[in-house]
Amino acid sequence: MSLAQNVEFMRQFSKLSGFNGLGAYGRSASAVPSPLVEIGQFGTNPGALRMFSFVPEHLQRAPALVVVLHGCGQTAAGYDLGAGWSTLAKRYGFALLMPEQQASNNGNTCFNWFDPGDTTRGRGEAASIRQMIARMVVEHKIDSRRIYVTGLSAGGAMASAMLATYPDVFAGGAVIAGLPYGIASNVREALNGMMQSASRPARELGDLVRKASKHKGPWPKLSVWHGSADRTVNPANANEIVKQWLDVHGLPSAPMSTADVDGYPRDVWWNEEGETVVESYTITDMAHGTPLGLAGGSDESYGAAGAFMIEAGISSSYHIANFFGLTERVSQPNEVVKPDTKSVARPAPKPAAPVVPSAATASLQSPELAATLWPRTTLIRHAKPPRTPKRNNIDVGAVITRALTAAGLMK
């Protein structure tokens, strides 16, 4: 691409994304007190990212880790303030990792989700995030079967990249106003994907994920969120993301269930064991941003409204954490926990897949980690399920309950 084309791209890109008007949730958020702590050393850091984390005083036993990726123009602290992830982490006892882009890598502080040098396994920004995860696993005894990733916009597209390039690391992910993995390899293709979102065959999209690593499954589950009035990232991208991961999971294109949640349609697909593995929320008439549910002061109210943090009557952060199976309250010392009727009403999350330790599990680590960072770390790959599920082991009652709940016929 010529210099003139790059200049024109950046001019249009800034207009599209409104990166100059982020207020307290963009670059100025550095002045806002934050519970996040910066960690300086976590490996070779080939993507030159900054690492921030939040670990609550009271962690669950074998705690989970959620990796949260901010949008363009934002900071880790700013996005945490807006989306409320550290508040969720404190309430439910999981650890939080929030990588942060630097202006030296991208002038709008977008994660470079379209650059193969940053979205290939073992390279660039993707490798830096993987190294951050390795440090968190070792330092805080994270359960390697309970690692998740989510992000907004460019952060959502980068979450797609992390799920595709490291499917052996993540149990699940959530993409908010993002894009499918592998549809762009330069800035012009990225802009076209944002504006037009050309429809691609499901098999082609699925192959982009399958070719990103040597992993053969099981695959991470996925939650997709998008506003129907988004003028920055075409809402059709949500359909393409869903299509991509349905193909990876070998699931049909038609939703197995559709129901309203907090007034918005949610499509659901589950696997043969009855576990929801793909879900998609369409936030009607919402523009580009992360949906918040602040009105009413319910237990699902997290974050604070601001630029690209939009009050919509539904808390995406809470519902994503619930989709990950993280919303069981942690008891504090000398505290009597009142029953959470919202949590009780939901079916209990299905236990994580069993883990079979083997010598091959060391392949979870990138070459940089093996050479420079955690030589004694052994992270465990999800065990591969049998090709033919044993029907006599399926809890039929639980499957029926999940189906009725997803259809809105049971609370």
Side-chain angles (χ1 to χ4, degrees), residues 54-59 84-96 329-330 332:
F54 173 72
V55 180
E57 182 180 355
H58 303 289
L59 276 175
W85 273 105
S86 60
T87 306
L88 272 161
K90 183 176 181 180
R91 179 179 176 88
Y92 295 112
F94 58 84
L96 193 65
R329 180 78 180 274
V330 176
Q332 309 295 337

Side-chain angles (χ1 to χ4, degrees), residues 23-45:
Y25 304 98
R27 295 185 178 89
S28 62
S30 59
V32 178
S34 172
L36 303 185
V37 175
E38 182 165 12
I39 298 173
Q41 298 296 325
F42 53 86
T44 57
N45 191 16

Side-chain angles (χ1 to χ4, degrees), residues 148-149 163 170-175 217-225 241-257 266-281 320 322-325 349-353 382 385 402-403 406:
Y148 306 91
V149 62
L163 291 168
F170 297 102
V175 177
W219 299 95
K221 62 183 183 179
L222 182 68
S223 179
V224 179
W225 296 70
I241 298 169
V242 168
K243 189 193 302 183
Q244 184 171 61
W245 284 92
L246 288 179
D247 186 76
V248 169
H249 281 282
L251 294 173
S253 59
M256 296 175 176
S257 174
R266 171 185 181 245
D267 293 335
V268 177
W269 292 260
W270 52 77
N271 60 18
E272 291 184 330
E273 283 95 24
E275 178 186 10
T276 297
V277 290
V278 178
E279 66 173 12
S280 178
Y281 284 83
I320 289 168
N322 187 60
F323 177 72
F324 292 160
K350 194 173 182 67
H382 296 296
R402 293 178 64 85

Side-chain angles (χ1 to χ4, degrees), residues 18 93 112-113 121 158 170 216 243 247 255 258-259 263 291 307 315 336 397 407-408:
N112 289 305
W113 61 270
R121 186 180 175 104
M158 195 66 188
F170 297 102
K216 301 302 179 184
K243 189 193 302 183
D247 186 76
T258 299
S315 173
V336 177

